[in-house]
Amino acid sequence: MDKKYINIVLYEPEIPQNTGNIARLCACIGAKLFLIGRLGFNITDRHLKRSGLDYWDKVEIEKISSFEEFLKMFPMEENPIYFFTTKTNKKYTDIKFAKGSFLMFGPETRGIPEDILNKYKENCATIPMREETRSLNLSNSVAIGAYEAIRQFGGIYE
């Protein structure tokens, strides 16, 4: 298990500004950021760099080629991984986060693939919202999930 307070996992993120905002959040809370699979932008994208401001040296980022490779590195049996999705009724506030938990979020336009969600149903969580809306912004969702874990732990550690 990664020793970080909380780990943020983005599966195939598409929008560089969201990823930059999330990297900035990770720097501010001491989280490690994992980027899995094909990115919808170049890692040197100016929008990515701009939205991350001058925090790039304060965040640890690891790029992993596939979800399968990620699971080999961090097996579910040893590492709590939670999948944030609109396709479950289990609320994120019902999860008891453990130190080192991985919070995984899918691409902005399609979310985490259904086969992953179906395989790990017990580890899926949603952020409640009105029925007539589709989803929250990815960086907002990551902040909500990360700060719930931090609230449960009683604060950010160094």
Side-chain angles (χ1 to χ4, degrees):
M1 177 186 304
D2 196 283
K3 304 271 190 263
K4 291 287 183 183
Y5 189 61
I6 201 82
N7 298 286
I8 302 300
V9 182
L10 301 182
Y11 177 86
E12 298 188 353
E14 299 167 328
I15 301 173
Q17 293 91 332
N18 282 336
T19 301
N21 286 336
I22 293 164
R24 182 177 174 184
L25 170 73
C26 289
C28 290
I29 64 173
K32 183 170 180 179
L33 177 60
F34 293 87
L35 303 175
I36 296 180
R38 186 179 43 121
L39 305 180
F41 51 86
N42 187 309
I43 201 74
T44 60
D45 187 288
R46 68 181 177 89
H47 298 294
L48 175 75
K49 296 294 182 189
R50 175 183 283 165
S51 54
L53 294 176
D54 57 344
Y55 290 87
W56 292 105
D57 63 332
K58 295 168 183 61
V59 63
E60 185 178 355
I61 300 174
E62 186 168 345
K63 173 75 172 79
I64 300 174
S65 63
S66 69
F67 181 66
E68 293 73 26
E69 182 182 342
F70 175 76
L71 285 180
K72 284 180 188 171
M73 294 170 66
F74 304 101
M76 286 286 290
E77 303 77 34
E78 301 168 22
N79 303 281
I81 304 170
Y82 300 100
F83 304 88
F84 281 70
T85 177
T86 58
K87 298 175 177 93
T88 186
N89 292 321
K90 184 177 182 182
K91 294 179 184 150
Y92 74 104
T93 52
D94 294 334
I95 293 173
K96 176 75 171 125
F97 292 102
K99 192 178 251 186
S101 292
F102 290 82
L103 281 59
M104 183 173 171
F105 300 82
E108 292 88 339
T109 60
R110 60 190 188 281
I112 297 169
E114 298 257 351
D115 60 326
I116 295 173
L117 297 177
N118 290 333
K119 188 170 183 179
Y120 303 106
K121 284 181 186 176
E122 293 301 312
N123 288 48
C124 290
T126 193
I127 300 168
M129 64 189 92
R130 296 170 64 196
E131 283 187 31
E132 62 268 16
T133 59
R134 282 191 321 271
S135 64
L136 293 167
N137 173 274
L138 178 62
S139 60
N140 291 339
S141 296
V142 172
I144 290 168
Y147 273 97
E148 172 60 17
I150 289 167
R151 184 194 67 76
Q152 289 183 19
F153 290 132
I156 297 171
Y157 75 95
E158 294 300 321

Coordinates of all heavy atoms in Angstrom, one line a residue, residues 10-22 35 38-42 45 47-48 51 106-109 137-139:
L10 N -6.7 8.8 -11.6 CA -7.5 9.2 -12.7 C -7.3 8.2 -13.8 O -6.2 8.0 -14.3 CB -7.1 10.6 -13.2 CG -7.1 11.7 -12.2 CD1 -6.7 13.1 -12.8 CD2 -8.5 11.9 -11.6
Y11 N -8.5 7.6 -14.2 CA -8.5 6.6 -15.3 C -8.8 7.4 -16.6 O -9.8 7.9 -16.8 CB -9.5 5.5 -15.0 CG -9.6 4.5 -16.1 CD1 -8.8 3.4 -16.2 CD2 -10.6 4.7 -17.1 CE1 -8.9 2.5 -17.2 CE2 -10.7 3.7 -18.2 CZ -9.8 2.7 -18.2 OH -9.9 1.7 -19.2
E12 N -7.8 7.4 -17.5 CA -7.9 8.0 -18.8 C -8.6 9.4 -18.8 O -9.6 9.7 -19.5 CB -8.7 7.1 -19.8 CG -8.0 5.8 -20.0 CD -8.6 4.9 -21.1 OE1 -9.7 5.3 -21.6 OE2 -7.9 3.9 -21.4
P13 N -8.0 10.3 -18.0 CA -8.5 11.7 -18.0 C -8.4 12.4 -19.3 O -7.5 12.1 -20.1 CB -7.7 12.4 -16.9 CG -6.4 11.7 -17.0 CD -6.8 10.2 -17.2
E14 N -9.4 13.2 -19.6 CA -9.5 13.8 -21.0 C -9.2 15.3 -21.0 O -8.8 15.8 -22.1 CB -10.9 13.6 -21.5 CG -11.3 12.1 -21.7 CD -12.8 11.9 -21.9 OE1 -13.6 12.7 -21.4 OE2 -13.1 10.9 -22.6
I15 N -9.5 16.0 -20.0 CA -9.4 17.5 -20.0 C -8.2 17.9 -19.2 O -8.1 17.7 -18.0 CB -10.7 18.1 -19.5 CG1 -11.9 17.6 -20.4 CG2 -10.6 19.6 -19.4 CD1 -13.2 18.0 -19.9
P16 N -7.2 18.6 -19.8 CA -6.0 19.0 -19.1 C -6.2 19.9 -17.9 O -5.6 19.8 -16.9 CB -5.1 19.6 -20.2 CG -6.0 20.0 -21.3 CD -7.2 19.0 -21.2
Q17 N -7.2 20.8 -18.0 CA -7.4 21.7 -16.9 C -7.9 21.0 -15.7 O -7.5 21.3 -14.6 CB -8.4 22.8 -17.3 CG -7.9 23.8 -18.4 CD -8.3 23.3 -19.8 OE1 -8.4 22.1 -20.1 NE2 -8.4 24.2 -20.7
N18 N -8.7 20.0 -15.9 CA -9.2 19.2 -14.7 C -8.0 18.5 -14.0 O -7.9 18.5 -12.8 CB -10.2 18.2 -15.1 CG -11.6 18.8 -15.3 OD1 -11.9 19.8 -14.7 ND2 -12.4 18.1 -16.1
T19 N -7.2 17.8 -14.9 CA -6.0 17.1 -14.3 C -5.1 18.1 -13.6 O -4.5 17.8 -12.6 CB -5.3 16.3 -15.4 OG1 -6.3 15.4 -16.0 CG2 -4.1 15.5 -14.9
G20 N -4.9 19.3 -14.2 CA -4.0 20.3 -13.5 C -4.6 20.7 -12.2 O -3.9 20.8 -11.2
N21 N -5.9 20.9 -12.1 CA -6.6 21.3 -10.9 C -6.4 20.2 -9.9 O -6.2 20.4 -8.7 CB -8.0 21.6 -11.1 CG -8.3 22.9 -11.8 OD1 -7.5 23.8 -11.7 ND2 -9.4 23.0 -12.4
I22 N -6.5 19.0 -10.3 CA -6.4 17.8 -9.4 C -5.0 17.6 -8.9 O -4.8 17.4 -7.7 CB -7.0 16.5 -10.1 CG1 -8.5 16.7 -10.3 CG2 -6.6 15.3 -9.3 CD1 -9.1 15.7 -11.3
L35 N -2.0 8.5 -12.9 CA -2.7 8.6 -14.2 C -2.6 7.3 -14.9 O -1.5 6.8 -15.2 CB -2.0 9.7 -15.0 CG -1.9 11.1 -14.3 CD1 -1.1 12.1 -15.2 CD2 -3.3 11.7 -14.0
R38 N -4.6 5.8 -21.4 CA -4.4 6.8 -22.4 C -5.0 8.2 -21.9 O -6.1 8.3 -21.5 CB -5.2 6.4 -23.7 CG -5.0 7.2 -24.9 CD -5.8 6.6 -26.0 NE -7.1 6.2 -25.5 CZ -8.3 6.7 -25.9 NH1 -8.3 7.5 -26.9 NH2 -9.4 6.3 -25.4
L39 N -4.1 9.2 -22.0 CA -4.5 10.5 -21.6 C -5.1 11.2 -22.8 O -4.7 11.1 -23.9 CB -3.3 11.3 -21.1 CG -2.5 10.7 -19.9 CD1 -1.4 11.6 -19.5 CD2 -3.4 10.3 -18.8
G40 N -6.1 12.1 -22.6 CA -6.7 12.9 -23.6 C -6.0 14.1 -24.0 O -6.5 15.0 -24.6
F41 N -4.7 14.2 -23.5 CA -3.9 15.4 -23.7 C -2.4 15.0 -23.6 O -2.1 13.9 -23.1 CB -4.2 16.5 -22.7 CG -4.3 16.0 -21.3 CD1 -3.1 15.9 -20.5 CD2 -5.4 15.5 -20.7 CE1 -3.1 15.4 -19.3 CE2 -5.4 15.0 -19.4 CZ -4.3 15.0 -18.7
N42 N -1.6 15.9 -24.0 CA -0.1 15.7 -23.8 C 0.3 16.2 -22.4 O -0.2 17.2 -22.0 CB 0.6 16.5 -24.9 CG 2.1 16.1 -24.9 OD1 2.8 16.2 -23.9 ND2 2.6 15.8 -26.1
D45 N 1.0 19.8 -22.0 CA 0.0 20.7 -22.4 C 0.0 22.0 -21.5 O 0.1 21.9 -20.3 CB -1.4 20.0 -22.3 CG -2.5 20.9 -22.8 OD1 -2.9 21.9 -22.2 OD2 -3.1 20.5 -23.9
H47 N -2.3 24.1 -20.9 CA -3.5 24.3 -20.0 C -3.3 23.4 -18.7 O -3.8 23.8 -17.7 CB -4.8 23.8 -20.8 CG -5.1 24.7 -21.9 ND1 -5.4 26.0 -21.8 CD2 -5.1 24.4 -23.3 CE1 -5.6 26.5 -23.1 NE2 -5.4 25.6 -23.9
L48 N -2.7 22.3 -18.9 CA -2.4 21.4 -17.7 C -1.5 22.1 -16.8 O -1.7 22.2 -15.6 CB -1.8 20.1 -18.2 CG -1.3 19.1 -17.1 CD1 -2.5 18.5 -16.5 CD2 -0.4 18.1 -17.7
S51 N -3.1 25.3 -15.0 CA -4.1 25.0 -14.0 C -3.4 24.4 -12.7 O -4.0 24.5 -11.6 CB -5.3 24.1 -14.5 OG -4.8 23.0 -15.1
G106 N -13.1 8.2 -13.2 CA -13.1 7.9 -14.7 C -13.0 9.2 -15.5 O -13.0 10.3 -15.0
P107 N -12.9 9.0 -16.8 CA -12.8 10.1 -17.8 C -14.1 10.9 -17.7 O -15.2 10.4 -17.5 CB -12.6 9.4 -19.1 CG -12.9 8.0 -19.0 CD -12.8 7.7 -17.5
E108 N -13.9 12.2 -18.0 CA -15.0 13.2 -17.9 C -16.2 12.8 -18.7 O -17.4 13.0 -18.3 CB -14.5 14.6 -18.3 CG -13.5 15.2 -17.4 CD -12.1 14.8 -17.6 OE1 -11.8 13.8 -18.3 OE2 -11.2 15.6 -17.2
T109 N -16.1 12.3 -19.9 CA -17.2 12.0 -20.8 C -17.9 10.7 -20.6 O -19.0 10.5 -21.1 CB -16.9 12.2 -22.3 OG1 -15.9 11.2 -22.6 CG2 -16.4 13.6 -22.6
N137 N -18.3 18.2 -12.1 CA -17.0 18.4 -12.7 C -16.0 17.4 -12.0 O -16.1 17.2 -10.8 CB -16.5 19.8 -12.6 CG -15.1 20.0 -13.1 OD1 -14.2 19.8 -12.3 ND2 -15.0 20.4 -14.3
L138 N -15.1 16.8 -12.8 CA -14.2 15.8 -12.3 C -13.4 16.4 -11.1 O -13.2 15.8 -10.1 CB -13.3 15.3 -13.4 CG -12.2 14.3 -13.0 CD1 -12.8 13.1 -12.4 CD2 -11.3 14.0 -14.2
S139 N -12.8 17.6 -11.3 CA -12.0 18.1 -10.2 C -12.8 18.4 -9.0 O -12.3 18.2 -7.8 CB -11.2 19.3 -10.7 OG -12.0 20.4 -11.1

